[in-house]
Amino acid sequence: MTAWMVRTGHGPAHPISGGRPTAGPEGGTRSRGRGISRVSGALAGAAALLTLAYGAGVGVAAQEPAPAAPGGHGAHGASAADPSRADDVAATGGSSWMRAAGVFSPPGSFVPSDALTYDTRLVPAGARIEITEFTDPSGTRVGTRLRGLTPGRAYGMHVHTSPCGADPAAAGPHYQHRPSATADPVNEVWLDFRTDEDGDGRAEAVQDWNFREGGARSVIIHDRQGGAGERAACFTVPFGPDGRA
Ligand SMILES: [Cu+2]
């Protein structure tokens, strides 16, 4: 709990909670009317783009080889280079959709994986992770689904800055929207979850900002919830404003 809401920087005191900041052209003047209708038009265009992006995402997914069926713990997939990975990326206009899936194994395993477990009591070899990212000009939505972890246990998870390595520290610190600012779920992406009786869990985080290109490259699963904890596992994910890194 020590790192919860810790302020590490010395910038202006933004309110931590309170939802989305009132960004936009309204400023001090209360001019409505035309501005609003222009915004509405833009929103309608964005909605059309979202529809296109979703359609494109389905199309890309349909062309991919089917990922290994969930539930087959311990079984390896059939694809060539990295059997744990099945990424789908679709981008249209200002929005994009990305999915990455992995099967955890310890560093140095015979079959290399982008999903590494450093503590097999908490994240057993063969446990599975899926990360989805949807991004458009209004923000970013990151979701995760996990299978085969310890049943009935609380885990912490965040987006980190660097790809995973054999050393748990390789993934670097938390990704922060405002660098060196507050360590909290508004300025960072927190995906804390609790597993059910089968060891499965899920979480979702919605932000009103987008990742910087190449700035967010992994998720870390921690042994406890909140802003800190031991690094139990890591999954390298190509987060990005356009779903690629
Ligand atoms: Cu973390």
Side-chain angles (χ1 to χ4, degrees):
M1 294 294 287
T2 49
W4 171 257
M5 295 292 185
V6 169
R7 176 178 287 279
T8 55
H10 48 76
H14 295 286
I16 291 175
S17 59
R20 313 168 87 85
T22 54
E26 296 195 32
T29 63
R30 288 280 172 189
S31 64
R32 301 196 163 207
R34 289 176 198 170
I36 296 294
S37 62
R38 267 205 301 275
V39 169
S40 299
L43 287 177
L49 285 175
L50 294 192
T51 306
L52 285 171
Y54 181 74
V58 170
V60 169
Q63 293 165 7
E64 293 287 330
H73 295 164
H76 293 302
S79 63
D82 181 350
S84 74
R85 197 151 189 101
D87 289 5
D88 297 326
V89 176
T92 302
S95 65
S96 69
W97 177 85
M98 181 275 296
R99 172 184 176 273
V103 180
F104 286 103
S105 61
S109 295
F110 178 71
V111 179
S113 174
D114 286 325
L116 299 175
T117 174
Y118 308 118
D119 185 339
T120 53
R121 294 169 305 135
L122 298 181
V123 181
R128 290 169 178 272
I129 184 170
E130 177 191 74
I131 295 285
T132 54
E133 178 195 14
F134 184 83
T135 179
D136 72 11
S138 72
T140 303
R141 187 174 70 231
V142 177
T144 186
R145 288 154 53 117
L146 298 114
R147 298 179 74 96
L149 277 59
T150 302
R153 194 188 194 285
Y155 290 85
M157 185 190 287
H158 320 108
V159 173
H160 282 245
T161 58
S162 301
C164 309
D167 181 350
H174 296 176
Y175 180 89
Q176 294 202 314
H177 173 55
R178 289 182 290 116
S180 303
T182 49
D184 61 50
V186 177
N187 195 41
E188 304 177 347
V189 178
W190 292 18
L191 293 159
D192 291 356
F193 62 93
R194 173 174 280 278
T195 51
D196 62 17
E197 65 274 14
D198 296 321
D200 300 344
R202 62 171 61 197
E204 185 178 81
V206 179
Q207 315 293 357
D208 60 7
W209 41 262
N210 300 114
F211 290 116
R212 293 180 292 279
E213 187 74 50
R217 300 298 308 279
S218 61
V219 292
I220 289 271
I221 300 175
H222 292 275
D223 66 338
R224 75 190 91 130
Q225 299 189 337
E230 295 298 317
R231 300 184 179 205
C234 184
F235 181 40
T236 299
V237 182
F239 291 109
D242 63 353
R244 302 166 197 270

